[in-house]
């Protein structure tokens, strides 16, 4: 089977790309990158396989961190949580897992499965279940497109394991796993979406790990060349557009119930002088208003990056005075179907707005 | 094997006896009694086996309700929770359970295992893990005397199942299962203490189901004879004593975090005229002060009963004007060892008091 190995410079690129695709959430990839780097230096391999090359009969699951990203800034993961969660799932189903697949390419959960896969000696799949980051389990394409969310396994840094063999639906699983993560200290690893290779090809968004790497490579290349056009370099790897440029002037942010929620306000500069932008978030950026007009909504990607070096600015890093660019990137077509928009559209987050594609709003 | 079958009149007696031994908590046995009665009328049997007759190699577990007793007054159990929890545990360990054993003889959790056992066609064991009721998992003798609390299974009325295959210790299991019960609506069934018959004989308190029945029979007999001496009838089935008689004049009660906590105050009558009593509780009655002097502490049993008919007054039923007798009953010697007192003594509940046996305080 054709695979490629992740190198240290790939990790650098993926961390930047995944940070941008995290649209503010998914957790900061920095700590995950350091952990993955250490594993590479210890001689472990992270092997990547393309979604199309995955055999039908492979047993696959996703694994990632669950909880408020703000928590992981102060409470670093131990690094054993993800393997613990996958092992608990394996024990429950009575089979070994052949490969891991990310639930979300955005943020730290792009790297977390690599760490577990390297430790377990199995590959990761170049795909994910969001093409971005989202705050809850029901928003993963595997579940939107009818795969069962049971069984699911959760493991914390202390060695507590929980298995959810069956239950009402993915919304109940979300409630129960999130309250467990809160009780476990605000962060835990969750292994879920036990599926076949064929299931993965039907429901996953392909090529997103390569995409994150490509975006990161553009940023790193532009930085090395001291290019002024880092933002347009990023956009060249996407179908995206610039929504705003300016300075953060206010941040309202609360961490509760395992989420970080709030809004950030910006004053325009350059082409946007005299304008203002407000972005609301729940772990991830949800809605962007420019001068009171909606210019982008979830599930399209609203990405805040440092205007100078293209570094992604995650929700927990937002603060007064940052000079940022706001990018809008169209989401995967798998997130724009009616069944997907019911789960990941603006109304699913409590906004009385119909989804309109970024391209139409511009 | 010698077994006895529970009849409707046994259920009546056990419900009264278990209510008294519940020392205010364990949940009101009334709903459980109605459910068990219906099963008997449908022709199902509840078979009881003595602890000494249990074969060494039997696989046993306990099952019971978890949550604040106040919740179950308004949110009746569906009746399928306990079987669901035991079935989830069976699936996890890969074996059928041969018999159920109560975790606590006090309150509704004396009857809950009968309902599950009758539905599953297996016997219950005449024994329990408290000889009374307590609010948390670590306070069960099975765990005090070193049996593992893993695996554990939880099931709610909606069909959500959770399995805890392994973890740090019983205190973490208590935290995780209780937060799950809160998330599930304040009440869930918990199957735990997977053990052998030999383990049960080493760690359980024997004969407590028969004891509850005997206490209840005394109460029912005295009621039928319109006896004035109902309180002394109750005490004749125990080594207990009257701690107070009087009227409830104040109740301070809060339901939070899956517990009901507070204190009740009484004014004395008859032999106790001019005296007052305060009893603090956390689901169960913990400490009794008469005129400011401690007269009984946990783990000894502090039981509040209606002075007229001997009916147990549970924590959630306490209210102004009730005329009650307060009984002190010595706990099982298994709860008075140093390792037990560390878990169930006054200090374990936050009181700066050393345990002194009821008999010495009197």
């Amino acid at each position: 089977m054709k695979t490629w190995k992740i190198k240290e410079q790939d990790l650098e690129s993926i961390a930047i790309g995944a940070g941008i695709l995290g649209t503010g959430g998914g957790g900061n990839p920095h700590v995950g990158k350091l952990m993955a780097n250490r594993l590479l230096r210890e001689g472990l391999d992270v092997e990547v396989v393309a979604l199309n090359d995955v055999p039908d009969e492979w047993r696959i699951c996703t694994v990632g961190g669950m909880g408020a990203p703000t928590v992981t800034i102060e409470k670093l993961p131990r690094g054993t949580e993800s393997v613990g969660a996958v092992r608990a799932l394996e024990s429950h189903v009575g089979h070994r897992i052949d490969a891991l697949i990310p639930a979300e390419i955005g943020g730290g959960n792009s790297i977390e499965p690599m760490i577990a896969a390297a430790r377990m000696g199995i590959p990761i799949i170049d795909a994910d279940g969001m093409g971005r980051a989202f705050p809850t389990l029901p928003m993963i394409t595997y579940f939107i497109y009818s795969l069962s969310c049971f069984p699911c396994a959760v493991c914390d840094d202390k060695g507590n394991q929980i298995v959810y063999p069956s239950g009402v639906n993915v919304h109940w699983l979300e409630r129960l796993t999130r309250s467990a993560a809160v009780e476990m200290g605000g962060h835990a690893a969750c292994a879920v979406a036990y599926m076949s290779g064929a299931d993965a090809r039907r429901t996953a968004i392909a090529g997103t790990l390569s995409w994150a790497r490509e975006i990161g490579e553009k940023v790193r290349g532009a930085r090395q060349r001291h290019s002024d056009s880092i933002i347009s370099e990023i956009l060249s790897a996407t179908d995206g557009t610039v929504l705003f440029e300016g300075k953060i002037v206010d941040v309202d942010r609360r961490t509760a119930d395992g989420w970080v929620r709030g809004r950030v306000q910006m004053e325009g500069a350059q082409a946007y002088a005299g304008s203002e932008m407000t972005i609301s978030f729940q772990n991830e950026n949800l809605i962007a208003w420019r001068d009171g007009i909606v210019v982008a909504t979830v599930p399209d990607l609203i990405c805040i990056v440092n205007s100078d070096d293209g570094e992604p600015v995650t929700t927990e890093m937002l603060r007064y005075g940052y000079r940022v660019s706001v990018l809008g990137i169209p989401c995967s077509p798998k997130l724009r179907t009616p069944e997907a928009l019911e789960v990941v559209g603006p109304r699913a987050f409590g906004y009385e707005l119909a989804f309109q594609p970024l391209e139409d709003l511009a």
Side-chain angles (χ1 to χ4, degrees), chain A:
Chain A
M1 190 186 323
K2 210 177 65 182
T3 61
W4 53 278
K5 285 185 190 172
I6 291 199
K7 303 189 187 68
E8 282 199 34
Q9 60 189 12
D10 294 324
L11 280 177
E12 289 294 332
S13 299
I14 290 168
I16 294 170
I20 291 171
L21 296 175
T23 71
N28 189 318
H30 181 68
V31 173
K33 185 187 72 181
L34 295 180
M35 285 187 172
N37 251 328
R38 199 178 59 181
L39 293 182
L40 295 186
R41 284 176 198 170
E42 287 171 3
L44 290 174
D45 279 336
V46 180
E47 285 204 287
V48 186
V49 56
L51 184 59
N52 269 332
D53 292 337
V54 172
D56 274 1
E57 67 282 5
W58 266 19
R59 296 189 174 94
I60 292 163
C61 76
T62 182
V63 71
M66 167 165 249
T70 38
V71 169
T72 51
I73 305 267
E74 296 189 358
K75 179 178 181 292
L76 296 183
R78 185 175 179 186
T80 55
E81 296 89 338
S82 287
V83 173
V86 177
R87 293 293 187 213
L89 191 73
E90 285 181 329
S91 293
H92 180 78
V93 299
H95 285 291
R96 285 298 166 125
I97 295 289
D98 297 305
L100 297 177
I101 188 167
E104 52 185 347
I105 194 61
N109 277 339
S110 59
I111 308 238
E112 193 65 34
M114 289 184 201
I115 298 173
R119 286 235 167 90
M120 297 175 69
I122 59 177
I124 58 162
I125 299 170
D126 184 2
D128 80 314
M130 296 184 179
R132 45 166 294 159
F134 276 129
T136 72
L137 286 177
M139 298 172 176
I140 305 176
T141 52
Y142 315 138
F143 308 133
I144 291 173
Y145 294 106
S146 303
L147 294 183
S148 174
C149 62
F150 300 103
C152 167
V154 165
C155 184
D156 71 7
D157 54 320
K158 295 163 278 288
N160 290 303
Q161 291 186 342
I162 307 181
V163 173
Y164 301 81
S166 67
V168 178
N169 57 30
V170 69
H171 300 284
W172 268 102
L173 182 67
E174 166 66 27
R175 278 181 68 162
L176 295 171
T177 52
R178 188 160 297 270
S179 73
V182 170
E183 196 65 35
M184 285 167 154
H187 181 261
C190 177
V192 68
Y194 177 64
M195 58 181 151
S196 69
D199 287 336
R201 267 199 305 284
R202 182 173 66 78
T203 60
I205 300 172
T208 46
L209 197 61
S210 301
W211 188 32
R213 183 177 62 166
E214 184 191 352
I215 294 172
E217 282 171 351
K218 297 273 186 188
V219 170
R220 293 174 68 222
R223 282 182 196 167
Q224 276 160 10
R225 295 192 310 275
H226 301 287
S227 165
D228 286 341
S229 59
I230 200 158
I231 300 302
S232 48
E233 285 286 327
I234 295 172
L235 292 177
S236 73
T238 74
D239 297 323
T241 178
V242 175
L243 299 176
F244 199 72
E245 290 179 80
K247 188 181 83 164
I248 295 176
V249 293
D250 197 28
V251 181
D252 170 19
R253 181 174 45 204
R254 306 168 299 281
T255 299
D257 307 324
W259 278 305
V260 48
R261 298 176 202 251
R263 52 177 59 206
V264 55
Q265 295 194 311
M266 305 165 191
E267 275 177 12
Q270 277 89 41
Y272 297 91
S275 283
E276 53 180 34
M277 174 159 278
T278 300
I279 297 173
S280 65
F281 53 82
Q282 176 182 343
N283 286 18
E284 286 76 34
N285 301 320
L286 298 178
I287 315 277
W289 293 266
R290 192 173 58 219
D291 298 325
I293 310 288
V294 172
V295 292
T297 82
V298 72
D300 281 339
L301 285 67
I302 300 166
C303 310
I304 304 176
V305 299
N306 185 312
S307 298
D308 295 327
D309 62 6
E311 192 69 22
V313 181
T314 55
T315 304
E316 67 273 16
M317 289 165 68
L318 292 169
R319 75 170 188 217
Y320 179 88
Y322 269 18
R323 285 168 201 283
V324 296
S325 299
V326 180
L327 313 182
I329 302 175
C331 67
S332 160
K334 276 205 165 84
L335 296 183
R336 287 184 173 184
T337 63
E339 59 263 53
L341 287 173
E342 209 165 283
V343 185
V344 299
R347 287 208 172 85
F349 291 90
Y351 294 89
E352 278 307 318
L353 289 171
F355 170 74
Q356 282 188 273
L358 186 62
E359 310 87 280
D360 301 352
L361 287 168

